[in-house]
Amino acid sequence: MQLAAMVPALRLLAGLMIATLVIAALYFGRELLIPLALAMLFGFLLDPAVSRLKRWGLPRMASAIVVVAIALAALGGLGMYLGSQVQQLSTDLPTYQSTIRDKLRSLRKSANMPSAWDGVFKTYNTVEKEISRPEGAAPRVQKVEIQTAQSNPTTRLLQWLGRIAEPVTTAGIVLLFVILILLDRDDLRDRLLRLMGGNLHVATDALDEASQRIGKYLRMQFIVNVSYGVPLAAGLLLVGVPGAILWGVLGAIMRFVPYVGPMLSAVFPLALAFAVDPGWNMFLLTLSLILLLELISNNVIEPWLYGASTGLSTLSIIVAATFWTALWGPIGLILSTPLTVCLLVLGRNIPALKFMEVLLGSEPVLGPQQRLYQRLLADNVDDAIGMALDAVQAQLPARPTQKDKAQAVGSFYDEVAIPALRIATQQHLESATAEHRLRLSSGMDALIDELQDHYAPALLPADTKGLQRRLRIHCAGVRWEVDALAAAMVAHAERLYGHEVSCSEWALAADPLLAQRSAKAVLADSDWVQSMQTTDLLVLSIFNHQPQGTARRMVRRIRRYWPHMRVVLVLWNAPQVAADPDFAAQCGAQACVTSLRELRLWVDAMQSADMDEGVIAAPIPENDSERVEVLHGSGVLDAGLTPLYHEAAQKAANAFNTRWAQIAWVDSQMVLTPGSLLPVPSSQALNAAGILRAESICSYVIYDGTAIVIGDIARDPRFAGNRRLLDLQVRFYAGVPLTDRKGQLLGCFAVLDDKPRNMSEGELELLSSMARQLMEDVRAAQKQGGSSAQSMPSMQAESDSNPLV
């Protein structure tokens, strides 16, 4: 037990020892590491040009030599031009001596004039002298003269050569390393992959992320520096400062040195403006120009261009600059950001170095649900309410409708508030104290009340004819107080959609009426009787990890008093149980859901008259006839494009590891799926080329105009009764829109599977990029083969014979 308690301390000690050894190696090995780091930096800059020449057919060695030669020639030409400018300024400087002398005399005269503080300074100096002088001692004056030995020309030449030998040697080593890196980039990458471990996926992602972040940072920094240097040169030229182009180039170059570089580059034009103009106008104009460009560059251009290119926090950038400057001097200051980006990438991809991502990254280390939970634990209710209001407001458009407010509030509850309660249930018995639980309960009550005040349900008109049928819903928690809190959130969200919603203030298990077995005791409460008899839907919230027994008992008890009550179970903490399609029927409930979004689908389904038919068709957009006309005129229905569609579907199925994929074009009545990988059910004809639009999930992609992901179709009331999907055993669907160049929706690109699953945002973006690439391929095929809408009737004739119609 004692040894186990010492393990964390031993790990910390080992980590500190390793960190000390690494820092010592960086410091004592700087003579070798600095040229190598500079070479890597220049390699990031030059490698894209080398790769471009190689793609054009030039061998890699020749490409590297050409790029390095061009870079050296550019640097040499720039150096010669700057040298000529410096020489010209050196020739003209003696002519400014009288101006400098007059200004210095004027400044000295101004400084020697009496001021309001002269008496204070004189008194202070007198007191200081009297305190520091020993008693009875007279001040002594000593004359010290320093004489320097005259060195001969040979000594001065050797000293000069010694000063330039080190930078020239470093430059030569850097040049050699750059050439080697450009020549053997692939071999160097393979060796780095090997050093990072056996997981090629993680190592490849880490190298790609590092190269992308550093490359983007360098490109953005180059653009920022040019956007500073060009206006500086133009402004100095207009002001009349000699060598304006020189100072503009110097300003752009010096900005590669963080913090110190801009200040050093500003000294030279300011000093020259002071020397040239007998007055102060040129100096003040130059100072104003530099300050204006700094403000614009630091507050407008840099945030706009940099964005999240590095992923580093502002504090970590400053600390890194201090750390690398202390280790490697000015070169460390220049390399501080790229080197720290590499450390950040290692922290993202190597679990043992995760602390680096926490210390250096710009992304919040706590999610919004964790921050909300922490604020409630700290009894900082006002801060928690402010976070909630800001989160909801951030999702609202400029002129939100009642539906927009309902969706924003529901999204906040689903993504932040409910996960915060989920954390509370996980830590209920582990580390939470009674005071913590009281703070959470009171704070969450206040937060829900505040949201209800800010986002109250809209008053419906007296004449509700033509509006969708309103439901009478009662929400209740089953066992714990967190269940009741979640029920209050559900009630608020559903009220915003216009339903008549009531809510139990306490969990049903704590209600004495339902706790009693006697029906007489329950029926004695007139409010309960009236509420339940007029309720269309009862929503029960459960946070239990194993809710099977509790859910069965509660639904059975409800059925004893109200046999025809429709019940939906919200199993917040049991997605596996909710995924069982038979569990809801075993409990006697209509459905099991795990989020407000899923509950909203079931409530909408209960409002729909098509629910009894098993399929709820997507509404038809108002401009659908125009869309269909564009579809027929686009040429995408050409039967000659079917092999292209089949190939794209096969690539998508392989990339996302799904059984099926399809390209669907949504017509007025049918959804045509040429090249689909979905098999044709035995009950359908072998030449079936599509399905009815009312039965297709793709019709919802057209209606919503955005991507749709359905993790489990069996739990979605819109498609749970779809016979075609049931025959094919389709359980997962993810589809993205297919649009023309004008943004008109034509169809969707979808992947499907026979098992429930999820899709990340990165995977959904990849599917969207594949959809865009498909449309580019279609346009290229149409140009190459002269495809047009003339061949459409062949596909239409095939779909007309489809027995699904």
Side-chain angles (χ1 to χ4, degrees):
M1 293 297 292
Q2 293 180 352
L3 182 61
M6 294 176 61
V7 169
L10 292 176
R11 288 179 178 176
L12 178 61
L13 181 61
L16 293 176
M17 293 178 62
I18 293 174
T20 303
L21 292 176
V22 170
I23 294 174
L26 290 173
Y27 180 76
F28 291 106
R30 61 186 182 276
E31 299 296 335
L32 175 63
L33 295 177
I34 288 178
L36 184 58
L38 285 173
M40 295 291 290
L41 184 65
F42 290 125
F44 275 113
L45 286 173
L46 300 180
D47 184 69
V50 175
S51 301
R52 178 63 61 87
L53 291 179
K54 185 180 178 182
R55 286 196 297 269
W56 289 349
L58 198 64
R60 185 164 189 87
M61 178 176 291
S63 302
I65 293 174
V66 169
V67 170
V68 172
I70 292 175
L72 290 177
L75 291 176
L78 180 62
M80 292 177 62
Y81 173 76
L82 295 180
S84 64
Q85 291 290 311
V86 171
Q87 184 178 4
Q88 182 64 35
L89 283 174
S90 178
T91 305
D92 295 339
L93 277 178
T95 61
Y96 308 137
Q97 292 181 0
S98 60
T99 304
I100 297 174
R101 188 183 303 110
D102 294 340
K103 282 192 173 181
L104 291 177
R105 288 175 179 175
S106 176
L107 289 175
R108 188 181 301 111
K109 182 178 179 181
S110 300
N112 292 332
M113 291 179 63
S115 66
W117 300 99
D118 286 349
V120 177
F121 292 145
K122 185 176 180 180
T123 303
Y124 175 78
N125 292 333
T126 303
V127 173
E128 183 182 18
K129 290 179 181 179
E130 290 296 330
I131 293 175
S132 59
R133 180 186 302 174
E135 185 176 357
R140 293 182 301 173
V141 178
Q142 295 182 350
K143 182 177 181 181
V144 179
E145 183 178 356
I146 300 176
Q147 296 181 352
T148 58
Q150 296 293 329
S151 58
N152 56 42
T154 304
T155 304
R156 289 198 297 269
L157 177 62
L158 292 177
Q159 291 175 350
W160 183 79
L161 290 176
R163 293 190 184 98
I164 68 171
E166 183 177 354
V168 170
T169 304
T170 303
I173 296 174
V174 170
L175 179 60
L176 178 61
F177 280 161
V178 168
I179 295 175
L180 293 177
I181 289 172
L182 294 177
L183 289 178
D184 297 331
R185 185 199 65 170
D186 295 336
D187 181 68
L188 179 61
R189 180 188 59 191
D190 295 342
R191 294 181 184 276
L192 289 175
L193 290 173
R194 182 61 178 171
L195 287 175
M196 294 180 66
N199 193 331
L200 292 179
H201 297 87
V202 174
T204 301
D205 291 343
L207 286 182
D208 289 344
E209 183 181 356
S211 61
Q212 290 174 3
R213 287 184 179 275
I214 295 176
K216 183 178 180 181
Y217 166 74
L218 294 176
R219 290 192 297 271
M220 293 302 102
Q221 189 176 38
F222 175 77
I223 295 175
V224 168
N225 294 359
V226 170
S227 66
Y228 177 86
V230 172
L232 178 62
L236 293 178
L237 192 63
L238 292 175
V239 172
V241 177
I245 299 178
L246 170 64
W247 308 128
V249 174
L250 181 65
I253 294 175
M254 291 300 293
R255 289 187 71 85
F256 280 102
V257 182
Y259 312 114
V260 180
M263 292 187 292
L264 293 179
S265 65
V267 170
F268 301 101
L270 287 174
L272 201 57
F274 175 83
V276 171
D277 186 13
W280 291 95
N281 292 335
M282 183 180 292
F283 179 83
L284 294 177
L285 288 175
T286 303
L287 179 61
S288 301
L289 173 65
I290 293 174
L291 292 177
L292 178 62
L293 291 177
E294 285 290 340
L295 288 174
I296 295 176
S297 180
N298 294 335
N299 298 288
V300 179
I301 298 179
E302 288 185 6
W304 174 47
L305 291 178
Y306 283 156
S309 60
T310 62
L312 300 173
S313 65
T314 304
L315 179 61
S316 66
I317 291 176
I318 297 175
V319 173
T322 305
F323 173 78
W324 290 108
T325 304
L327 283 181
W328 290 356
I331 301 297
L333 181 60
I334 298 174
L335 297 174
S336 61
T337 299
L339 290 174
T340 310
V341 168
C342 294
L343 295 178
L344 174 65
V345 172
L346 291 176
R348 289 180 183 274
N349 295 277
I350 300 178
L353 301 177
K354 188 70 176 179
F355 69 94
M356 289 188 179
E357 182 184 10
V358 176
L359 294 176
L360 304 176
S362 60
E363 297 180 359
V365 295
L366 294 179
Q369 66 275 12
Q370 295 169 319
R371 293 200 301 271
L372 177 65
Y373 181 65
Q374 189 276 328
R375 301 305 189 271
L376 295 176
L377 288 183
D379 203 19
N380 194 349
V381 180
D382 292 337
D383 197 4
I385 292 174
M387 289 175 54
L389 295 176
D390 292 341
V392 175
Q393 190 64 33
Q395 301 184 52
L396 294 176
R399 296 181 178 179
T401 62
Q402 184 64 20
K403 183 178 180 180
D404 294 331
K405 296 179 181 179
Q407 291 176 345
V409 171
S411 178
F412 168 76
Y413 284 148
D414 247 346
E415 299 173 5
V416 181
I418 294 296
L421 292 180
R422 191 174 291 119
I423 297 174
T425 60
Q426 295 171 354
Q427 300 184 356
H428 180 76
L429 297 177
E430 296 178 2
S431 56
T433 64
E435 184 177 1
H436 290 153
R437 291 190 283 271
L438 178 61
R439 289 179 179 180
L440 174 71
S441 174
S442 303
M444 194 63 78
D445 273 333
L447 185 146
I448 296 173
D449 291 341
E450 193 71 22
L451 286 177
Q452 289 175 345
D453 291 340
H454 275 79
Y455 303 100
L459 296 177
L460 294 177
D463 182 13
T464 59
K465 185 178 181 181
L467 297 178
Q468 201 171 25
R469 185 171 67 94
R470 299 171 61 190
L471 297 181
R472 292 179 292 272
I473 303 174
H474 184 79
C475 303
V478 170
R479 188 174 181 183
W480 305 110
E481 190 171 9
V482 289
D483 297 343
L485 292 172
M489 297 179 192
V490 173
H492 180 210
E494 292 303 323
R495 287 193 192 101
L496 293 176
Y497 283 100
H499 298 295
E500 298 179 9
V501 185
S502 57
C503 183
S504 299
E505 295 183 1
W506 306 101
L508 298 183
D511 194 303
L513 294 177
L514 283 179
Q516 295 176 6
R517 294 287 181 173
S518 172
K520 180 179 179 181
V522 175
L523 296 176
D525 189 280
S526 59
D527 294 336
W528 263 102
V529 173
Q530 183 178 3
S531 176
M532 291 296 104
Q533 286 180 349
T534 59
T535 294
D536 298 317
L537 177 64
L538 176 62
V539 180
L540 298 179
S541 294
I542 307 176
F543 266 97
N544 196 339
H545 290 277
Q546 300 293 332
Q548 295 92 327
T550 302
R552 291 192 184 98
R553 288 192 299 271
M554 187 57 63
V555 175
R556 185 171 59 248
R557 194 177 302 172
I558 294 294
R559 293 290 186 202
R560 181 181 301 133
Y561 305 136
W562 303 281
H564 304 292
M565 176 67 64
R566 290 191 290 183
V567 179
V568 172
L569 300 174
V570 189
L571 308 180
W572 303 108
N573 257 351
Q576 295 83 3
V577 178
D580 184 0
D582 300 326
F583 178 71
Q586 294 172 1
C587 291
Q590 306 303 120
C592 294
V593 300
T594 60
S595 65
L596 282 169
R597 178 182 175 278
E598 294 181 8
L599 176 63
R600 176 104 293 276
L601 295 176
W602 278 99
V603 172
D604 288 342
M606 292 178 183
Q607 290 180 281
S608 174
D610 300 333
M611 185 177 179
D612 296 334
E613 301 176 6
V615 178
I616 301 176
I620 303 298
E622 296 181 357
N623 62 340
D624 193 66
S625 59
E626 300 176 5
R627 187 195 62 80
V628 172
E629 184 178 353
V630 174
L631 172 67
H632 284 265
S634 64
V636 297
L637 300 180
D638 182 6
L641 294 173
T642 300
L644 176 62
Y645 299 151
H646 181 80
E647 180 182 0
Q650 190 65 58
K651 288 182 179 179
N654 293 336
F656 293 97
N657 194 27
T658 58
R659 290 196 61 182
W660 309 294
Q662 70 177 14
I663 285 84
W665 306 108
V666 183
D667 206 343
S668 58
Q669 299 296 328
M670 291 290 299
V671 175
L672 307 176
T673 57
S676 173
L677 302 184
L678 277 170
V680 179
S682 58
S683 59
Q684 306 296 346
L686 295 179
N687 62 346
I691 61 175
L692 289 170
R693 178 173 178 175
E695 298 178 353
S696 173
I697 305 178
C698 298
S699 59
Y700 278 89
V701 178
I702 297 299
Y703 175 70
D704 292 336
T706 186
I708 288 182
V709 178
I710 303 175
D712 188 356
I713 291 176
R715 293 171 52 199
D716 194 314
R718 298 172 295 180
F719 317 108
N722 191 315
R723 295 307 312 170
R724 177 180 174 85
L725 298 178
L726 291 175
D727 291 342
L728 295 173
Q729 298 182 351
V730 178
R731 295 291 298 276
F732 167 77
Y733 174 93
V736 296
L738 289 168
T739 61
D740 61 9
R741 288 181 173 175
K742 296 182 179 180
Q744 183 63 264
L745 294 170
L746 304 179
C748 70
F749 194 164
V751 292
L752 307 93
D753 207 350
D754 59 351
K755 297 181 178 63
R757 56 181 291 179
N758 294 320
M759 176 170 277
S760 64
E761 294 183 2
E763 291 176 328
L764 194 61
E765 178 57 33
L766 177 60
L767 184 61
S768 299
S769 67
M770 294 182 70
R772 293 190 293 269
Q773 182 61 45
L774 174 63
M775 296 305 297
E776 293 292 335
D777 295 341
V778 168
R779 286 188 282 268
Q782 290 174 340
K783 292 180 180 179
Q784 182 178 2
S787 300
S788 65
Q790 295 177 355
S791 56
M792 275 195 303
S794 61
M795 189 175 291
Q796 281 298 116
E798 184 180 3
S799 65
D800 290 341
S801 63
N802 188 346
L804 290 175
V805 178

